[in-house]
Amino acid sequence: RWALAATGGDPASVRARAIAATVFDPGADPAPLFDGSGYGPAALDADELALAARLGALDRDSAPAWARANCPEALYGLLGETLGGDVDAELAALNAQAPLDLRVNILRTTREAARAALAEVGMETEPCPFAETGLRAAERANLDALAPFRDGLVEPQDESSQLVAALVGAGPGETVIDYCAGAGGKALALAAAMQNAGDLVACDVSGARLARIAARAERLGVINVRTVALGAAELPDGLEGLADRVLVDAPCTGGGTWRRSPELRCPTTPETIARYAVEQAMILDAAARLVRPGGRLVFAVCSLFGAEGPGQTARFLADNQAFRRVPHAELLAPDLMGRLGTGDELFLTPYRHRCDGMYASVMERVT
């Protein structure tokens, strides 16, 4: 997009971007590829041939930092506010392919036993550096073809999401609500932490997403989860003020997942972030009504933008005097806190922590 703007092309044109991509990577002459044969794109016209020549002559080293980092210009400064001097290193990490992380299902096995079972079928793994339930595969694989996956010993889940589930601190016999459960990845991790004992309620506005939980729960041996489809900011019946733990893994821009979903980069704008922040505030305020006195509300987003993470927590605590922030010293082992280095808000990044970008905070209802 930068190159097209610098050479008189149209950055909004998919065809122009395809020409630029061909010139840059693999550095080919686009003309033979745009020959109109089969399903191929139509031949280049004279203006496009001239554009390709200008692109080929462009000094790519003159590109601004945001373009070199493969980040939309309007977002580069926003990420700099939260990532500081590491912004370029973090964006480089977001340009790399994400590893395959697995959550060990402690309802069925241990991490050591799961690792051995995976090795027997040819998948080499190592323990994730932070999550006690995590294994990181040496290379990607078709999990459906592997017996340890089919037998419910492991489930694909990025280490960042595993850490958020651990931060919830769900225990056996409790009432736990995953308020934006989606297809249930974190809810199923919470079920394992609860040892299948207690009431686990997975809520979402999409019944189709919730429907995917049943088959996953059966494979993993989860029996204490039930699903409830809700309207936006609606509460499940009979649970207001009764939950021990409420997780709000809120809808967001997904800015921490660009290495998995690079298509999210360009559609995201400051206006998009602002709209999500409004939605998150509405959801968080509604979910807070479910928490009992002494219970905890956990807010999480897979985003690196301040307005969706720290800004949202600060806004909530300012507006809701019945809640206090829970210091992470009360939640995490000292050695883990030291290795994470994130203070009283969990802020995980692909460069510093080798996982998806993730923000999470824990708030306790005191009255």
Side-chain angles (χ1 to χ4, degrees), residues 174-249:
E174 293 182 334
T175 297
V176 178
I177 300 173
D178 185 349
Y179 193 61
C180 304
K186 293 183 181 67
L188 295 168
L190 295 175
M194 297 169 70
Q195 299 174 30
N196 261 340
D199 187 18
L200 175 58
V201 186
C203 307
D204 200 84
V205 296
S206 171
R209 285 196 294 263
L210 290 174
R212 295 165 57 189
I213 294 178
R216 299 174 71 187
E218 182 177 3
R219 180 174 55 80
L220 296 168
V222 170
I223 60 173
N224 71 322
V225 63
R226 58 189 176 96
T227 60
V228 179
L230 298 172
E234 185 181 352
L235 303 184
D237 291 340
L239 289 175
E240 186 167 352
L242 297 178
D244 297 286
R245 300 286 187 271
V246 177
L247 170 61
V248 178
D249 183 11

Side-chain angles (χ1 to χ4, degrees), residues 110-274:
T110 65
R111 181 156 70 172
E112 294 74 17
R115 188 181 183 194
L118 288 166
E120 287 181 4
V121 296
M123 174 178 273
E124 295 301 322
T125 61
E126 60 181 19
C128 287
F130 305 112
E132 294 183 354
T133 55
L135 289 172
R136 181 158 295 163
E139 56 186 29
R140 307 189 74 81
N142 176 12
L143 290 178
D144 288 332
L146 302 181
F149 171 77
R150 296 196 304 269
D151 294 341
L153 305 188
V154 294
E155 176 81 346
Q157 187 174 51
D158 187 76
E159 185 177 28
S160 63
S161 293
Q162 296 183 47
L163 287 169
V164 169
L167 204 62
V168 174
E174 293 182 334
T175 297
V176 178
I177 300 173
D178 185 349
Y179 193 61
C180 304
K186 293 183 181 67
L188 295 168
L190 295 175
M194 297 169 70
Q195 299 174 30
N196 261 340
D199 187 18
L200 175 58
V201 186
C203 307
D204 200 84
V205 296
S206 171
R209 285 196 294 263
L210 290 174
R212 295 165 57 189
I213 294 178
R216 299 174 71 187
E218 182 177 3
R219 180 174 55 80
L220 296 168
V222 170
I223 60 173
N224 71 322
V225 63
R226 58 189 176 96
T227 60
V228 179
L230 298 172
E234 185 181 352
L235 303 184
D237 291 340
L239 289 175
E240 186 167 352
L242 297 178
D244 297 286
R245 300 286 187 271
V246 177
L247 170 61
V248 178
D249 183 11
C252 70
T253 59
T257 67
W258 283 356
R259 57 188 193 159
R260 299 180 188 278
S261 303
E263 74 280 0
L264 296 178
R265 294 168 194 257
C266 290
T268 301
T269 65
E271 293 73 26
T272 308
I273 297 169

Side-chain angles (χ1 to χ4, degrees), residues 269-293:
T269 65
E271 293 73 26
T272 308
I273 297 169
R275 287 196 298 271
Y276 270 114
V278 171
E279 182 180 6
Q280 291 156 7
M282 176 187 67
I283 292 171
L284 190 54
D285 289 345
R289 294 162 51 196
L290 295 165
V291 183
R292 67 166 177 80

